[in-house]
Amino acid sequence: MNSQPRTGAYPQPGNDVAVLAANLAGVRARIAAAADRAGRDASAIRLLAVSKTVPEDRIRLAVEAGCRELGENKVQELARKHANLADLDVSWSLIGHLQTNKARDAAACADDFHALDSVRLAEALDRRLDVAGRSLAVYVQVNTSGEPSKFGLPPDELLGFLSELTRFETLEVRGLMTLAALDPDPERTRRCFALLRTLRDQARDHDPALIGPGELSMGMSGDFELAIEEGSTCVRVGQAIFGPRHLPDSHYWPEARDLTPGA
Ligand SMILES: *Cc1c(COP(=O)(O)O)cnc(C)c1O
């Protein structure tokens, strides 16, 4: 008999290795099917298991179940888990907004960073990385939905920003990242992903050196299939692997709060 979750309103399906492995297999099958529909090779699509709010003991089970690349939204949580799970053979991606004054933790712990969105932050990271004697793979976050409070650069500032980044030798641009509009109409969501791909192609046409391999970090539990159809090379999936989160998305994205009437 299964024991009932003791806290929170949501059932947590990911409480043992077998369930986590089944969830992971389900996500991988959906990635493969979406890649197939788009005539793409699924092996070119990276799956980041987003482990934010997931306790360390459950992360250990997920790694046993086959997760090798983990993503965290907040740098303090990443630093803690990176230290406490240092014995695991996994990589840690920082996927959320970073304050300039926390650049040091990111420079110390993150294997890559998906939310670069200001020159000030690039400068702060560069300084810390230089001291640490390492470089960092980065994705530039673009606001493709036009929601005013959303993190990320406006699309028309991207080329100028990428040009500025070339002076930071410690930052290796891998590509672009976005969060799509939270919209019941999948075509609006799809347009956000298509815009990110177009921006990548335009940057490449302008100067291939600006965008590195031109990866596209886009798609999460609710929309990763659409993102793959539009060219995603890295999906960031949390709840479809680990089960529903107790914290609302507004804890991570101001724009999610802004969609609530009266917020
Ligand atoms: C939480 C988060 C995700 C994953 O969201 P899920 O709904 O759990 O799949 C993806 N990207 C970012 C930036 C996140 O903060």
Side-chain angles (χ1 to χ4, degrees):
M1 217 169 61
N2 288 328
S3 61
Q4 292 301 308
R6 248 159 277 188
T7 55
Y10 298 108
Q12 289 288 344
N15 281 330
D16 65 59
V17 177
V19 177
L20 287 164
N23 290 352
L24 192 59
V27 169
R28 288 206 171 117
R30 286 167 62 192
I31 290 174
D36 219 44
R37 281 196 296 280
R40 301 184 53 208
D41 179 0
S43 70
I45 300 159
R46 199 176 150 204
L47 170 59
L48 285 188
V50 177
S51 53
K52 67 191 188 198
T53 76
V54 177
E56 286 158 13
D57 53 349
R58 266 180 81 222
I59 294 180
R60 287 187 180 278
L61 299 180
V63 171
E64 233 178 281
C67 292
R68 287 291 172 274
E69 299 186 280
L70 302 169
E72 287 286 336
N73 181 290
K74 291 181 183 290
V75 71
Q76 302 96 311
E77 190 173 342
L78 183 148
R80 168 172 61 79
K81 291 176 175 173
H82 180 267
N84 292 345
L85 302 172
D87 56 304
L88 298 179
D89 183 19
V90 295
S91 67
W92 292 98
S93 295
L94 180 59
I95 61 175
H97 182 71
L98 179 66
Q99 288 173 315
T100 308
N101 63 4
K102 305 213 174 84
R104 192 206 335 217
D105 280 339
C109 304
D111 290 294
D112 63 9
F113 174 47
H114 291 237
L116 184 60
D117 62 357
S118 80
V119 173
R120 271 189 62 222
L121 179 57
E123 273 163 359
L125 282 169
D126 181 60
R127 210 173 322 122
R128 296 302 187 177
L129 289 161
D130 200 43
V131 171
R134 62 178 290 237
S135 59
L136 183 65
V138 295
Y139 294 72
V140 175
Q141 184 172 356
V142 181
N143 177 352
T144 53
S145 69
E147 289 160 294
S149 61
K150 201 165 228 172
F151 294 123
L153 292 174
D156 62 349
E157 291 177 19
L158 177 63
L159 267 189
F161 183 71
L162 288 171
S163 306
E164 288 202 66
L165 286 186
T166 58
R167 71 184 153 96
F168 301 110
E169 283 179 14
T170 60
L171 301 179
E172 294 170 8
V173 176
R174 282 288 153 82
L176 307 177
M177 177 273 213
T178 202
L179 286 163
L182 208 68
D183 200 289
D185 176 6
E187 288 314 308
R188 268 206 69 203
T189 305
R190 185 187 292 281
R191 277 201 292 278
C192 296
F193 296 142
L195 174 57
L196 199 71
R197 185 189 61 231
T198 302
L199 291 167
R200 187 269 317 269
D201 294 346
Q202 285 171 351
R204 215 179 235 166
D205 287 348
H206 184 80
D207 177 359
L210 289 180
I211 193 82
E215 308 269 344
L216 297 175
S217 169
M218 56 187 198
M220 32 198 267
S221 291
D223 57 21
F224 69 84
E225 286 143 312
L226 281 177
I228 288 169
E229 288 171 19
E230 296 302 324
S232 173
T233 63
C234 177
V235 294
R236 309 176 309 265
V237 178
Q239 299 180 85
I241 297 171
F242 292 106
R245 269 187 306 275
H246 297 230
L247 280 167
D249 281 345
S250 57
H251 184 67
Y252 296 96
W253 314 303
E255 71 275 17
R257 186 171 54 234
D258 291 344
L259 288 176
T260 313

